[in-house]
Amino acid sequence: MNTKVKTKMLLLFAAAVIAMILGIGIGSVSIPPAVTIRILGSRLFGAALPDSIDPIYVSLVMDIRLPRVLLAFLTGASLSICGTVMQSVLKNPLASPYGLGISAGAGLGAALVIVGGISVGTLGMFLLPTVSFTCGLVTVVLVMLVSSRIDRTMSNVTIVLIGMVVSLFFTAIMNVMATASPSYAQRINLWLLGSFSARDWSSVWILLLVLILCGVFFLWHTREMDMMTFGEEQAQAMGVDLKKSKWLLLCGVAVLTGTAVAFTGIIGFIDLISPHVVRRFMGSSHGKVLPACALFGGAFMVLCDLAGRTLTSPKEIPIGSITALIGAPFFVYLYFSGRKG
C-alpha cells in the first residue's frame, strides 16, 4: 500500500472517529467531546475519571449512545461492503442488496418472527439474526434459480431484474402483515423504515463478529472481484468460475446484509452511495475499496442517524428516510450520467 493510499485511509479513519464522537456527544443532552473522550479512555484503558464528570454522562455514553453509534457504524460498514461486492459481481453500478431483494427477504424473516411471537429462551438474541440472514440466503437462492430458468447464462441484467421483482413482492407481503396485525403494525413499519433506537450491546457484538468473518471472506476473493469488473467474458478468460464465484459472493452478501437488517430494519441507498464515492478517490482495486467503503459507509451512517434524531427532536426521523432523501437524487444522477455516457 503506497503512501497516498495510506494517507487516504488515515483520513477516512480520522473522519470515522470524529463522526462517532459527534454521534455520542450531540443529543437532547450535549456532552463535550473532551468529556466523551475521557469517559471512553476510562473504560478502554482504565484511566481515572475526574470527579467533575457527572455520572449521568458516563451512563448516557456507555449504556445508550455508544451502543447505538457503534451499531450505526457497523451497519453502514456492512451494507457498504455488500454494495461494493454486488456491483462488482453483477457489473452494474446500480446493484445493491436492497435492489436485489436480499434486504427485503431478510426483513420479511424478521417480520415473521415479530408477528409469530417466536421465542427460544436464553438463545432469543440469536433467533432474529439467524432467521433474518437465513431468509436473505433463501432470497439469493430464489433469485438465482429463477434467473437460471429464465436465462441459462444467468446474465447480470436478468439477476438484477428478478431481484427487483422479488424485493417489491416481499415488501408487499410485509405491508399486508402490518395491515393484518395492528398490534404489530408499528414494529413492522419501523422495520420497513429502519431504526437504531433501543439497541443493546448484544446487537453490536453479533454484528461485529459477522462483519469480521464476512469481511475476511470478501478480502480473500478480491482477485475474482477485480477480474469481474472487466466483464464476464474477460473474467472467464482469466480463469474465473463465474457461476461458483457469483453464488459464493452473493451468499456472503446475504449473510452480512441479513444480520444487519435483523437488528436495524431495512435501510436503502447506503449500499449504493458508498462504493461510488469511495471508488472516486481509491481506484478500483477491491483490496483497497472494501476497507475504505467500510470506514466511509460507517461514518456516513452515523451522521445520518445523528441527523435523524436531532433535526426534529424530540421526534425521530427513521434512518431509512434520511438515507432515501440523500440516496434517491444520487440514484437519479447515476442513472442519467450512465445514459449520457
Side-chain angles (χ1 to χ4, degrees), residues 136-154:
L137 279 172
V138 171
T139 303
V140 167
V141 173
L142 176 64
V143 169
M144 299 293 275
L145 287 177
V146 173
S147 299
S148 65
R149 292 296 296 271
I150 295 175
D151 180 3
R152 289 187 178 182
T153 62
M154 291 177 66

Side-chain angles (χ1 to χ4, degrees), residues 267-287:
I267 303 171
F269 292 105
I270 185 76
D271 45 12
L272 179 70
I273 296 171
S274 297
H276 286 281
V277 173
V278 169
R279 286 194 183 104
R280 295 270 180 171
F281 59 87
M282 293 299 293
S284 59
S285 172
H286 287 83

Side-chain angles (χ1 to χ4, degrees), residues 76-256:
S78 299
L79 295 178
S80 298
I81 288 174
C82 290
T84 304
V85 173
M86 286 198 63
Q87 287 172 17
S88 122
V89 169
L90 299 179
K91 205 175 183 300
N92 188 321
L94 303 179
S96 69
Y98 184 85
L100 196 66
I102 298 173
S103 295
L108 178 59
L112 289 171
V113 173
I114 292 170
V115 173
I118 304 170
S119 177
V120 288
T122 56
L123 297 177
M125 68 177 183
F126 297 103
L127 177 65
L128 205 57
T130 301
V131 172
S132 192
F133 81 67
T134 301
C135 288
L137 279 172
V138 171
T139 303
V140 167
V141 173
L142 176 64
V143 169
M144 299 293 275
L145 287 177
V146 173
S147 299
S148 65
R149 292 296 296 271
I150 295 175
D151 180 3
R152 289 187 178 182
T153 62
M154 291 177 66
S155 70
N156 295 336
V157 174
T158 302
I159 294 173
V160 170
L161 289 175
I162 297 300
M164 291 176 66
V165 172
V166 170
S167 178
L168 291 170
F169 180 68
F170 285 169
T171 302
I173 293 176
M174 282 186 279
N175 284 322
V176 170
M177 290 171 63
T179 304
S181 307
S183 57
Y184 297 103
Q186 186 176 0
R187 291 186 65 185
I188 294 175
N189 287 329
L190 192 63
W191 220 262
L192 289 169
L193 295 171
S195 175
F196 299 114
S197 62
R199 298 294 182 263
D200 56 21
W201 282 100
S202 62
S203 306
V204 175
W205 296 125
I206 293 172
L207 183 53
L208 176 62
L209 175 62
V210 176
L211 174 58
I212 291 172
L213 293 175
C214 290
V216 171
F217 172 77
F218 291 138
L219 287 172
W220 186 262
H221 288 85
T222 52
R223 177 178 170 273
E224 288 92 332
M225 285 189 279
D226 285 343
M227 291 180 180
M228 286 180 187
T229 56
F230 295 107
E232 295 188 344
E233 292 182 1
Q234 289 86 343
Q236 283 181 320
M238 289 185 280
V240 177
D241 186 339
L242 282 178
K243 285 191 176 181
K244 180 182 177 182
S245 296
K246 282 182 181 180
W247 273 100
L248 287 174
L249 290 169
L250 289 178
C251 285
V253 167
V255 171
L256 186 52

Side-chain angles (χ1 to χ4, degrees), residues 6-29:
K6 287 181 180 179
T7 302
K8 292 174 182 177
M9 291 297 291
L10 285 173
L11 288 173
L12 276 175
F13 180 78
V17 171
I18 292 170
M20 286 192 283
I21 290 175
L22 290 174
I24 294 170
I26 298 175
S28 56
V29 177

